[in-house]
Amino acid sequence: MILERPEEPGKKYALAFTILVHVGLIAALFLGVQWKRSAPEVMDVELWSSKPTPATYVPPPPPQPEPEPEVKPEPKPVPKIEPKPEPLPPKKPDIVVKEEKKPPKPEPKKPEPKPEPPKPEPKKPEPKVPDFSKELARETATKQPRPSTQQMANAAAAESEQRASSNRRGLESYSTKIRIKIRGNIVLPPNIQGNPEAVFTVDQLPTGEVLAVKLKRSSGNPGLDQAIERAILKSSPLPKPDDPALFQRSLEIKYKPLEE
Amino acid sequence: MNVTQDLSILHLIINASAVVQIVMAILAGVSVMSWYYIFMKWFAVRQARTKTEVFERDFWSGGDLNSLYNSAVNDRHHAGSMERIFEAGFREFAKLKTQKNLDPKDVVDGSRRAMRATYQREVDGLEAHLAFLASVGSVSPYIGLFGTVWGIMHSFRGLANVGQATLSAVAPGIAEALVATAIGLFAAIPAVLAYNRFAHDIDRLSIRYESFMEEFSNILQRQMR
């Protein structure tokens, strides 16, 4: 005598719970397991100490006294960055682009990438050495923050300087990329004393492939020099900069083995 | 090799070699099935236990056996296992009792046989799919291990082409491969736990059914006099 068995209880619930458990697991895996290897952050330091501007500067009133379209840019970054004068000098990038071999740039407006604190372009309205005390005195006397030509020039200079600094930042991230790639390929010889720096000149193709590596200044340790040279050759093709304008056929790579 | 390397789980699964991916797919399917059975068994065992308790209470509260039998027959779809055992035994008993030329011992034996048959069917129904859970628990770590070993072999073979061994050359491959073991363990651990738990619960239930059968046989024997 076969009795028909009743339906297994809770099939739908079991299915729902199963889906719930697996969705939970997948979510935990996706949220919990985020291993990422990323390049170290490029230090972003801007030097503003040389250009003091009044801190109590408010945006100019709509009817501008001298509407110059060319010098119009928003003077916003000035009050923002002014209160934190960073005493740190910008990190000197290890890769210094050679000036003389520079190909013609597609954007002539960009200032030249230089590791030194950038100078504003000569094309832009160059502020005179700001007569700071005079301006401040006048500012406090009038109590009316009006955008004078001096301030406008200041703002324009600030903007050009910012552009230069962003350019420098791109250069620095480029050099960091190259350095990380080389570091991944290097096999250091065992006996390194101190942290000697070697300087290499590297010629590369536009695709980043390394054509030639020349030792410019030895680190004093021939084994280390060879190791770095091998690492640079192995790193071919070198990574490309984010901004194609920063690409140089000839790079100067300074490499320290124990840098971090 | 990129400077920034994304090692999220999706990336690992997509970049794994085909064998590892197949292993992971098998394990994912096994995991889904085992969790489905775990929940289904869980509900089934819990329901069997509550129904057994309800029936035992009804039975030992001294009600009329005939009315209990009638309610069991009428409400067959909601009857628990113990109720069905009782029903089978009592039906057989009632049939045999009407035959005049039978020994009382034979009547009780016949009803006990009917009860045992139903009992075996019930326990078999409760134990269904438990073997699957046991196999998942014992085998899926090995499947995952196979995927891992294969993936590591693969990444070491890739290492031979690189020439210079860096950790970053092997690490992604090994991480990919280890995902297979992780999935295998995720399938195996709950399956083993659930198997042990359910086997224990079903053992206890079947002991209850068996003792009920003995006690009910005694009651029937007393009724024969």
Side-chain angles (χ1 to χ4, degrees):
Chain A
M1 163 205 61
I2 304 281
L3 290 174
E4 74 273 43
R5 277 192 61 78
E7 193 74 358
E8 283 268 0
K11 265 190 178 166
K12 279 178 197 151
Y13 287 115
L15 203 63
F17 276 117
T18 305
I19 291 167
L20 204 71
V21 164
H22 285 87
V23 166
L25 171 82
I26 290 166
L29 277 180
F30 271 94
L31 298 180
V33 187
Q34 286 286 358
W35 305 300
K36 288 226 171 164
R37 249 178 21 191
S38 57
E41 287 289 315
V42 173
M43 201 186 288
D44 186 9
V45 178
E46 299 189 21
L47 272 182
W48 288 94
S49 54
S50 62
K51 264 185 202 65
T53 37
T56 55
Y57 183 76
V58 289
Q64 296 227 340
E66 293 154 327
E68 282 178 48
E70 201 213 339
V71 221
K72 216 181 172 182
E74 281 287 307
K76 256 184 190 160
V78 180
K80 196 182 74 186
I81 309 170
E82 206 270 339
K84 46 160 191 176
E86 287 281 343
L88 273 164
K91 209 170 129 193
K92 205 178 171 198
D94 283 359
I95 296 164
V96 182
V97 176
K98 278 191 184 170
E99 298 290 328
E100 62 274 8
K101 288 196 185 176
K102 206 170 44 179
K105 291 196 168 190
E107 260 186 301
K109 271 184 89 172
K110 294 246 166 159
E112 298 167 356
K114 274 194 178 183
E116 285 88 31
K119 293 174 212 138
E121 277 190 57
K123 218 185 93 184
K124 291 272 163 189
E126 174 79 359
K128 294 168 288 204
V129 177
D131 197 353
F132 170 37
S133 56
K134 200 186 87 187
E135 198 191 7
L136 202 67
R138 197 197 52 202
E139 199 69 33
T140 45
T142 55
K143 267 291 179 195
Q144 206 180 31
R146 289 175 55 229
S148 62
T149 46
Q150 174 72 36
Q151 274 171 332
M152 286 213 164
N154 259 1
E159 198 214 23
S160 80
E161 186 149 334
Q162 214 181 25
R163 197 177 305 163
S165 88
S166 84
N167 209 345
R168 190 184 61 216
R169 210 177 310 147
L171 194 68
E172 225 162 277
S173 85
Y174 178 35
S175 78
T176 310
K177 268 197 218 168
I178 293 178
R179 214 167 334 125
I180 287 172
K181 179 135 190 189
I182 293 173
R183 175 148 307 148
N185 286 325
I186 199 165
V187 184
L188 291 174
N191 49 349
I192 303 171
Q193 274 145 13
N195 195 5
E197 188 183 68
V199 182
F200 285 88
T201 311
V202 177
D203 292 329
Q204 60 172 344
L205 288 175
T207 54
E209 267 156 283
V210 175
L211 280 179
V213 180
K214 280 186 294 264
L215 181 61
K216 202 174 174 196
R217 184 153 54 76
S218 168
S219 62
N221 185 339
L224 178 61
D225 291 345
Q226 278 176 14
I228 297 171
E229 188 176 339
R230 272 198 302 271
I232 292 172
L233 285 172
K234 186 166 286 168
S235 304
S236 170
L238 293 171
K240 292 193 191 66
D242 298 329
D243 184 1
L246 291 174
F247 184 83
Q248 305 291 334
R249 284 297 290 264
S250 178
L251 298 170
E252 187 167 289
I253 296 180
K254 296 180 183 171
Y255 193 85
K256 285 185 182 177
L258 301 176
E259 201 168 18
E260 196 53 55
Chain B
M1 194 166 52
N2 256 340
V3 175
T4 51
Q5 207 157 27
D6 186 15
L7 281 183
S8 76
I9 208 86
L10 189 68
H11 192 86
L12 289 183
I13 291 174
I14 288 171
N15 278 10
S17 66
V19 174
V20 179
Q21 275 177 342
I22 289 169
V23 164
M24 285 197 265
I26 290 173
L27 286 175
V30 160
S31 167
V32 167
M33 275 174 79
S34 79
W35 274 97
Y36 177 66
Y37 285 136
I38 285 169
F39 282 116
M40 224 164 71
K41 264 309 88 173
W42 187 42
F43 292 131
V45 167
R46 208 177 51 174
Q47 197 191 44
R49 209 163 40 216
T50 50
K51 283 193 171 164
T52 304
E53 269 156 21
V54 167
F55 179 74
E56 274 185 333
R57 207 167 47 234
D58 286 352
F59 185 79
W60 296 111
S61 63
D64 183 22
L65 287 185
N66 277 312
S67 68
L68 264 180
Y69 173 72
N70 282 335
S71 83
V73 170
N74 291 335
D75 202 14
R76 185 173 281 165
H77 285 288
H78 297 285
S81 302
M82 195 182 257
E83 206 165 356
R84 277 196 288 273
I85 293 170
F86 162 77
E87 181 201 328
F90 196 77
R91 179 190 289 125
E92 193 64 24
F93 176 74
K95 271 187 205 157
L96 292 177
K97 210 176 153 190
T98 52
Q99 298 178 4
K100 290 297 173 200
N101 51 357
L102 265 179
D103 198 48
K105 192 168 171 294
D106 291 342
V107 174
V108 172
D109 274 353
S111 111
R112 179 180 283 175
R113 273 194 298 275
M115 283 197 286
R116 179 149 296 274
T118 312
Y119 158 80
Q120 273 165 354
R121 258 199 301 277
E122 293 297 326
V123 171
D124 179 61
L126 277 176
E127 279 179 346
H129 308 309
L130 269 192
F132 176 77
L133 287 183
S135 324
V136 168
S138 54
V139 167
S140 70
Y142 294 123
I143 301 177
L145 195 64
F146 168 71
T148 297
V149 167
W150 191 271
I152 290 179
M153 272 161 55
H154 198 74
S155 70
F156 276 133
R157 213 176 50 215
L159 193 65
N161 300 334
V162 172
Q164 185 188 348
T166 53
L167 199 55
S168 52
V170 248
I174 291 178
E176 276 157 29
L178 286 177
V179 171
T181 302
I183 299 178
L185 290 181
F186 176 75
I189 293 170
V192 170
L193 279 179
Y195 173 75
N196 288 336
R197 172 72 196 272
F198 294 147
H200 175 72
D201 283 355
I202 291 169
D203 271 356
R204 287 184 63 192
L205 273 176
S206 63
I207 286 171
R208 266 164 102 166
Y209 297 159
E210 274 183 329
S211 29
F212 168 76
M213 277 157 51
E214 300 301 317
E215 284 162 342
F216 187 50
S217 304
N218 280 341
I219 290 170
L220 291 180
Q221 199 155 26
R222 276 203 299 275
Q223 284 220 340
M224 284 303 292
R225 301 208 181 108

